[in-house]
Amino acid sequence: MCGINGIISSKSQIDLENIVGKMNSALEHRGPNAGGVWAEDGFALGHRRLSIIDLSDSGNQPMLSADGRYVLIFNGEIYNFNSLKSTLPEYPFTSNTDSEVLLAGLIAEGESFIQRLEGMFAFAFFDTQKQNMLIARDRLGIKPIYYYHSPSSNTLAFSSEIRSLVASCLFEPKISKQAIKEYLMYQSVHFPATILEDVSTLNPGHILSYTKGKINSYPDWELPKTKANLPLSHSNVYENIRKLTEAAVEKRLVSDVPFGAFLSGGIDSSLVVGLMSKISPGKVKTFNVNFDESEFSEAKYAQLVAKKFKTEHTEITLKPEVFLDSLPQALDDMDHPSGDGPNTWVVSREVKKAGVTMALSGLGGDELFAGYPIFNRLLKLKNPLYKAGVKLASGTFANKLLPQHIARKMANLPKMSSIESSLYGVSRQVFTENEVANILRTDGLSEPSNYTLIKSLQWDKDDYISTCSRLELSTYLHDTLLRDTDQMSMAHALEVRVPFLDHHLLEYVLSLPDSFKNFNTPKGLLVNSFADLLPNEVVNRKKMGFAFPWLIWLKGPLAPFVKQQFQHLENHKVFNAFELNRIYQHFMDGQMDREWAKIWLLTVLGFWLNKNINLSHH
């Protein structure tokens, strides 16, 4: 796992090698083991290395081909690199790295080689002879790639993080008001947009090519929509899921450094740990965060799982005062504002302190196996009476059918193509569109960009769960969870691997009809596939998620910090200071206790903008 940077520019007065060197410095936290820059007229590539496979210097980058014609910079892991290597006997390998296998494969087969990769990746591949660049991102967007493109100056810059692009000083960072709206509504910004006007993210599963001054972006892989060939038996499906999940975990244990696992005590992380323990010859290192506030502590479930699988378990007890001391640094490490993240930052720090450089996570299990409440709400729409009630979103009937905060948001949602799309559209909302209009001093903003995706879907009654999974994978998982996991773990130079996002497993599960996924128990399809592995206490526990006791903290030890960030926002003309003050007072007076997420979202935004952007000029 690493950090990559690159610039292509026809402006002769720019010292590209020096600029990429500065960009590398901004990414040193991602790759503390080595760094390098390669440059020739009009092109420069930079790399920071976190050594995971083949720790020798032969794995350093930028990596040149044996004949010097091709150059590669690569961030990620290719899990099947050894089997791929055996199909490339003509290349004179000098290392045991997955990076060199990627380089050799691209030379031999071009971009078609990307289809053969199993892993997470973002890379740039340059042909010095043809003067063209190929930039690619993995299927689910686990590894990030951001870019700035100026056609007028014929300049393209790209990086693993936004802060590195800003460090290039090739452009003035300007906040996108449309992005602020999306952030306040959905706690992040939907791809390809980012919080900055001139910076985009390469879409998951996409390739960006640069040839003779022109760039072109196109998909290399898309979430599948085809259905499995019927008939299928439940026992056959369980067996297939078991094999695919075991294989996904096993291939992610290839490492030349110590590794471990995040263990919340929930179904997903417990299953990953169980499979790791079966496969690994030694004891698996597991890590759990717990709190003084016992209501929010998952420690007893994590302990139960650790005991069952005989792991080397570490508990991290988090006190409010310790978190308060750490919070500014956690937010300082946040490359892009998000409503989540500090939880991953804290556990990543402790895992790294324990001498672990790579960890497995249960991320993606909820999206793939229907672990969120929205899945059940959508399934209830198959009942005509329930559907009719939900359509009356502003009525008392709807308030009885839906949680109050969902019913309230439904009443404010612009009309979509179907009630299914409308219900999904509010499922992840924090602020409604009307509330955002009161907060921002700006007119003419369009609807959130993820609305276009949601509106475009046709909801097949036999496919509600898979349709919802595709949406969750394309929005919340990518825009929030994967971005947070990458930036907060890499802040500590910790690599996180996510077996539930193995594309073989994902493609199979998405192909199954709802009849195989609709259970009364949480994530029944996954649980039934591993009935012998998971403790009953874990299967039947109430879902908590990896959450901090924010309400207690925001009104207590974090209150002065919150007030300071609100004041930062109030000082900028983009925001309505009166409305921000009203929201703050309502929360402190106890009128918004259930909506603490709104307060946290604004707190993070205030901190990030004050650090990164001079909004007084906007």
Side-chain angles (χ1 to χ4, degrees):
M1 200 67 70
C2 309
I4 62 174
N5 295 302
I7 301 177
I8 304 169
S9 181
S10 61
K11 297 178 72 173
S12 58
Q13 67 271 31
I14 298 179
D15 184 350
L16 297 185
E17 186 171 2
N18 181 54
I19 294 175
V20 169
K22 291 179 180 178
M23 294 172 72
N24 269 4
S25 295
L27 291 188
E28 191 168 350
H29 56 281
R30 295 184 69 94
N33 299 125
V37 176
W38 172 93
E40 70 171 33
D41 290 345
F43 299 88
L45 298 174
H47 189 267
R48 291 296 319 186
R49 185 185 182 199
L50 174 63
S51 304
I52 302 289
I53 303 293
D54 186 350
L55 310 186
S56 71
D57 290 346
S58 60
N60 291 347
Q61 300 178 39
M63 184 175 285
L64 273 66
S65 60
D67 60 4
R69 173 177 170 177
Y70 301 95
V71 191
L72 174 79
I73 49 173
F74 164 57
N75 170 32
E77 298 293 344
I78 307 301
Y79 304 125
N80 62 331
F81 76 96
N82 276 320
S83 61
L84 291 174
K85 188 174 184 177
S86 65
T87 69
L88 301 164
E90 303 301 319
Y91 191 84
F93 288 98
T94 60
S95 76
N96 293 313
T97 65
D98 53 346
S99 305
E100 193 174 18
V101 172
L102 176 58
L103 175 61
L106 291 169
I107 293 170
E109 301 177 21
E111 67 180 55
S112 64
F113 187 69
I114 300 172
Q115 289 284 340
R116 300 176 62 192
L117 303 179
E118 297 184 15
M120 51 183 182
F121 52 84
F123 67 80
F125 174 69
F126 181 56
D127 183 339
T128 63
Q129 185 172 307
K130 293 184 177 179
Q131 298 280 284
N132 60 24
M133 184 88 73
L134 193 70
I135 303 171
R137 193 174 183 203
D138 66 66
R139 297 169 179 84
L140 277 302
I142 301 169
K143 290 294 101 188
I145 192 78
Y146 300 95
Y147 67 93
Y148 159 78
H149 179 229
S150 172
S152 60
S153 64
N154 193 21
T155 298
L156 171 68
F158 59 91
S159 178
S160 298
E161 294 189 3
I162 290 176
R163 77 186 88 205
S164 178
L165 286 175
V166 173
S168 73
C169 297
L170 292 172
F171 62 98
E172 179 191 353
K174 295 179 181 178
I175 198 72
S176 165
K177 299 180 182 68
Q178 176 68 29
I180 291 181
K181 174 181 177 177
E182 293 190 16
Y183 167 81
L184 292 176
M185 289 184 68
Y186 284 99
Q187 68 180 313
S188 193
V189 183
H190 187 53
F191 67 84
T194 72
I195 198 72
L196 298 183
E197 280 186 358
D198 297 319
V199 176
S200 301
T201 182
L202 183 60
N203 289 358
H206 273 58
I207 293 171
L208 187 150
S209 66
Y210 174 95
T211 305
K212 296 179 180 178
K214 295 182 179 180
I215 68 169
N216 183 30
S217 177
Y218 48 93
D220 184 60
W221 181 89
E222 295 178 310
L223 286 171
K225 297 179 182 178
T226 56
K227 306 308 296 178
N229 292 324
L230 298 178
L232 291 170
S233 69
H234 278 82
S235 59
N236 178 252
V237 168
Y238 296 156
E239 181 182 359
N240 289 337
I241 288 176
R242 190 176 184 106
K243 287 180 179 178
L244 287 167
T245 308
E246 288 176 347
V249 170
E250 184 171 15
K251 70 182 69 168
R252 281 161 180 79
L253 296 182
V254 176
S255 173
D256 292 332
V257 295
F259 59 84
F262 298 162
L263 178 58
S264 68
I267 291 171
D268 302 328
S269 65
S270 299
L271 180 56
V272 169
V273 167
L275 292 177
M276 289 175 71
S277 298
K278 283 181 61 178
I279 297 164
S280 302
K283 282 192 173 185
V284 174
K285 297 176 185 285
T286 54
F287 300 84
N288 170 259
V289 172
N290 61 73
F291 312 101
D292 282 350
E293 294 82 357
S294 58
E295 176 188 353
F296 296 91
S297 178
E298 300 178 295
K300 64 180 181 181
Y301 299 106
Q303 290 167 3
L304 188 152
V305 173
K307 183 177 180 180
K308 176 179 174 62
F309 298 117
K310 299 180 174 60
T311 72
E312 186 180 322
H313 190 56
T314 300
E315 285 189 3
I316 306 155
T317 301
L318 196 63
K319 298 180 183 296
E321 55 270 23
V322 174
F323 181 75
L324 179 60
D325 290 341
S326 302
L327 186 59
Q329 182 60 53
L331 294 184
D332 198 56
D333 285 336
M334 188 176 282
D335 184 54
H336 189 287
S338 171
D340 206 349
N343 43 12
T344 306
W345 187 92
V346 169
V347 71
S348 295
R349 178 183 64 181
E350 298 305 316
V351 169
K352 189 68 176 186
K353 281 182 181 177
V356 168
T357 304
M358 183 273 283
L360 268 64
S361 164
L363 195 66
D366 283 319
E367 289 77 12
L368 196 54
F369 291 98
Y372 295 128
I374 181 58
F375 287 95
N376 285 329
R377 291 183 191 133
L378 285 166
L379 288 174
K380 287 179 182 178
L381 290 178
K382 294 182 179 182
N383 181 325
L385 289 177
Y386 183 87
K387 191 169 186 174
V390 172
K391 284 183 177 180
L392 301 172
S394 59
T396 55
F397 188 33
N399 287 329
K400 292 180 181 179
L401 292 175
L402 295 167
Q404 185 177 2
H405 67 289
I406 295 290
R408 177 180 56 79
K409 288 187 287 188
M410 286 288 288
N412 289 282
L413 188 73
K415 186 174 178 60
M416 285 196 172
S417 54
S418 67
I419 191 64
E420 290 85 356
S421 292
S422 295
L423 183 58
Y424 181 83
V426 301
S427 66
R428 291 287 176 195
Q429 271 191 21
V430 181
F431 286 97
T432 66
E433 201 160 8
N434 290 341
E435 288 172 331
V436 174
N438 291 332
I439 293 171
L440 297 180
R441 292 185 181 275
T442 183
D443 298 317
L445 297 179
S446 58
E447 65 185 20
S449 56
N450 58 358
Y451 276 20
T452 304
L453 174 63
I454 297 168
K455 285 180 175 180
S456 69
L457 291 177
Q458 300 296 318
W459 292 85
D460 181 343
K461 286 186 178 180
D462 295 326
D463 197 32
Y464 274 4
I465 294 178
S466 290
T467 302
C468 186
S469 284
R470 293 185 194 99
L471 281 169
E472 289 288 278
L473 291 164
S474 300
T475 56
Y476 179 60
L477 179 88
H478 173 272
D479 300 337
T480 302
L481 298 182
L482 287 177
R483 192 195 319 255
D484 290 345
T485 298
D486 176 81
Q487 62 186 3
M488 291 312 201
S489 62
M490 291 305 293
H492 303 288
L494 176 76
E495 174 179 302
V496 176
R497 299 180 180 179
V498 282
F500 284 117
L501 297 186
D502 181 273
H503 75 276
H504 296 298
L505 173 63
L506 182 142
E507 288 172 350
Y508 180 75
V509 175
L510 289 182
S511 77
L512 298 172
D514 282 5
S515 57
F516 286 92
K517 304 175 185 178
N518 187 6
F519 292 90
N520 294 324
T521 56
K523 286 177 275 201
L525 177 57
L526 182 63
V527 169
N528 286 4
S529 299
F530 290 93
D532 60 324
L533 197 64
L534 293 168
N536 289 331
E537 296 90 337
V538 169
V539 172
N540 298 319
R541 60 170 287 199
K542 181 181 177 181
K543 182 175 176 60
M544 290 176 62
F546 189 15
F548 288 162
W550 286 116
L551 177 62
I552 297 169
W553 291 356
L554 291 173
K555 286 195 168 189
L558 292 178
F561 181 81
V562 171
K563 180 63 175 176
Q564 184 182 43
Q565 309 320 313
F566 266 70
Q567 288 172 343
H568 289 153
L569 293 178
E570 291 169 8
N571 289 336
H572 295 299
K573 60 184 179 181
V574 172
F575 299 93
N576 182 337
F578 177 83
E579 179 64 12
L580 287 174
N581 186 61
R582 186 194 68 79
I583 291 171
Y584 177 82
Q585 289 302 328
H586 270 56
F587 176 71
M588 289 302 171
D589 293 342
Q591 298 178 51
M592 285 177 56
D593 281 1
R594 289 196 61 183
E595 300 181 83
W596 59 263
K598 293 180 176 179
I599 302 300
W600 177 243
L601 213 58
L602 288 165
T603 299
V604 172
L605 185 63
F607 185 97
W608 194 92
L609 293 179
N610 185 62
K611 175 197 169 190
N612 294 281
I613 304 292
N614 184 357
L615 276 184
S616 61
H617 294 164
H618 289 244

